[in-house]
């Protein structure tokens, strides 16, 4: 996968240097920029990197990598236990899912780049992978920065009210530290504007296309985030939005 659109180039990592560039950006986004650290050699890396396809978006003028994410393709729910998400969630209810799946992870955009075209190109790359691989469900962990859930109560209340997973797929608790927002905020009426302002951009995109989430958030001290399991059936995406995604990668 490789193509150029406007000022950006979208491509799949083909060697270790490309993967290190993604790992470097991940460290900057998840750790360095947030803690004021400046280690030129630091990486965010784990054992899943060698099993995934890595998609990078690069500014063509400067050569700088401005966004990345990784994809782990599964033949169906029987392989869900091999996913990164399964480290944090009991996903046994998805084990019977028969269609091909892709886990999307470590999605990040360089903190100095706020161009909305970057997110559109990332989704266009996902659309290509979905079409090429016959993917029927996308899933992964959508992260809120920081571990203080009080900053996100309107967002979590809206997730509880409008976007919980169907019960037949609802992930169960596995991680040692979680915020059970569906239970804790059952009486809270969310402020829609505050809720959407606090929602991570990637999660907003998932929800706009018919995505759903777990009923609890995992406290991830390593990355200093709260994350919710997120799923999206491809057939749930509105046709007009699907056409826009494909057009962005044309």
């Amino acid at each position: 996968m490789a193509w150029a659109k406007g000022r950006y180039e979208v491509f799949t990592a083909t060697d270790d240097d490309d993967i290190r560039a993604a790992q470097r950006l991940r460290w900057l986004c998840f750790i360095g920029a947030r803690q004021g650290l400046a280690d030129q050699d630091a990486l965010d890396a784990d054992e899943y990197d060698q099993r995934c396809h890595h998609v990078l978006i690069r500014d063509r003028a400067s050569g700088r990598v401005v966004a990345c994410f990784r994809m782990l393709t599964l033949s169906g729910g029987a392989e869900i236990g091999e996913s990164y998400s399964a480290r944090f969630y009991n996903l046994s209810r998805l084990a019977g899912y028969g269609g091909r799946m892709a886990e999307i992870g470590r999605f990040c955009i360089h903190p100095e780049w706020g161009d909305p075209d970057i997110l559109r190109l990332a989704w266009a790359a996902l659309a290509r992978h979905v079409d090429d691989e016959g993917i029927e469900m996308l899933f992964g962990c959508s992260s809120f920065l920081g571990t203080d859930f009080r900053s996100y109560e309107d967002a979590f209340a809206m997730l509880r009210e409008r976007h919980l997973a169907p019960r037949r797929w609802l992930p169960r608790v596995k991680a040692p530290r979680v915020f059970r927002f569906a239970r804790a905020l059952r009486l809270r009426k969310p402020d829609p504007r505050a809720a959407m302002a606090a929602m991570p951009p990637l999660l907003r995109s998932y929800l706009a296309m018919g995505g759903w989430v777990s009923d609890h958030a995992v406290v991830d001290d390593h990355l200093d985030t709260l994350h919710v399991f997120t799923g999206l059936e491809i057939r749930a995406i509105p046709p007009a939005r699907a056409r826009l995604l494909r057009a962005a990668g044309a």
Side-chain angles (χ1 to χ4, degrees):
M1 180 192 299
W3 83 92
K5 186 86 169 182
R7 66 182 297 182
Y8 301 110
E9 177 188 8
V10 183
F11 63 99
T12 303
T14 57
D15 56 31
D16 289 343
D17 287 342
D18 289 341
I19 294 175
R20 278 194 294 271
Q23 293 169 335
R24 171 64 187 157
L25 179 61
R26 284 158 32 183
W27 180 88
L28 176 66
C29 292
F30 292 121
I31 300 172
R34 296 169 59 194
Q35 298 183 16
L37 302 177
D39 185 339
Q40 296 298 317
D41 299 317
L43 303 174
D44 168 63
D46 64 22
E47 65 274 21
Y48 289 87
D49 282 331
Q50 294 304 316
R51 299 166 53 196
C52 293
H53 289 91
H54 299 261
V55 176
L56 294 84
I57 301 177
R58 181 164 52 205
D59 175 59
R60 298 170 69 190
S62 66
R64 197 173 194 180
V65 174
V66 298
C68 66
F69 61 90
R70 67 187 185 188
M71 303 182 293
L72 177 65
T73 301
L74 307 177
S75 63
E79 298 178 357
I80 196 78
E82 300 176 17
S83 67
Y84 175 84
S85 300
R87 296 171 60 179
F88 302 97
Y89 302 89
N90 178 336
L91 301 176
S92 57
R93 288 176 172 169
L94 280 164
Y97 188 82
R100 288 174 64 79
M101 310 170 83
E103 181 180 39
I104 311 306
R106 288 300 201 269
F107 180 92
C108 59
I109 296 176
H110 196 291
E112 296 175 8
W113 292 73
D115 186 348
D117 281 345
I118 295 173
L119 183 58
R120 282 192 283 268
L121 287 172
W123 275 105
L126 276 174
R128 284 195 175 194
H129 186 70
V130 164
D131 290 342
D132 291 346
E133 296 292 330
I135 302 298
E136 295 183 36
M137 181 184 287
L138 298 174
F139 71 94
C141 300
S142 296
S143 299
F144 294 78
L145 299 181
T147 56
D148 183 1
F149 64 83
R150 292 169 296 184
S151 303
Y152 301 113
E153 286 189 347
D154 280 302
F156 284 129
M158 178 172 282
L159 292 178
R160 178 201 61 78
E161 184 177 87
R162 304 182 185 181
H163 302 292
L164 288 186
R167 186 162 185 81
R168 66 187 184 278
W169 292 331
L170 188 67
R172 296 184 176 97
V173 172
K174 181 177 182 178
R177 293 183 61 208
V178 301
F179 171 47
R180 296 175 182 254
F181 62 83
R183 179 186 301 176
L185 302 175
R186 65 187 181 279
L187 300 179
R188 185 184 180 103
K189 189 70 176 176
D191 177 328
R193 182 172 296 180
M196 294 310 294
M199 218 67 90
L202 182 63
L203 180 54
R204 284 202 300 266
S205 296
Y206 272 120
L207 299 179
M209 287 185 279
W212 43 261
V213 300
S214 53
D215 62 359
H216 62 283
V218 169
V219 181
D220 189 334
D221 291 311
H222 172 63
L223 294 180
D224 189 30
T225 62
L226 294 162
H227 57 75
V228 292
F229 183 88
T230 307
L232 172 64
E233 279 197 283
I234 301 306
R235 65 183 180 184
I237 300 175
R241 186 175 287 270
R243 287 193 295 271
L244 287 174
L245 293 176
R246 292 185 176 98

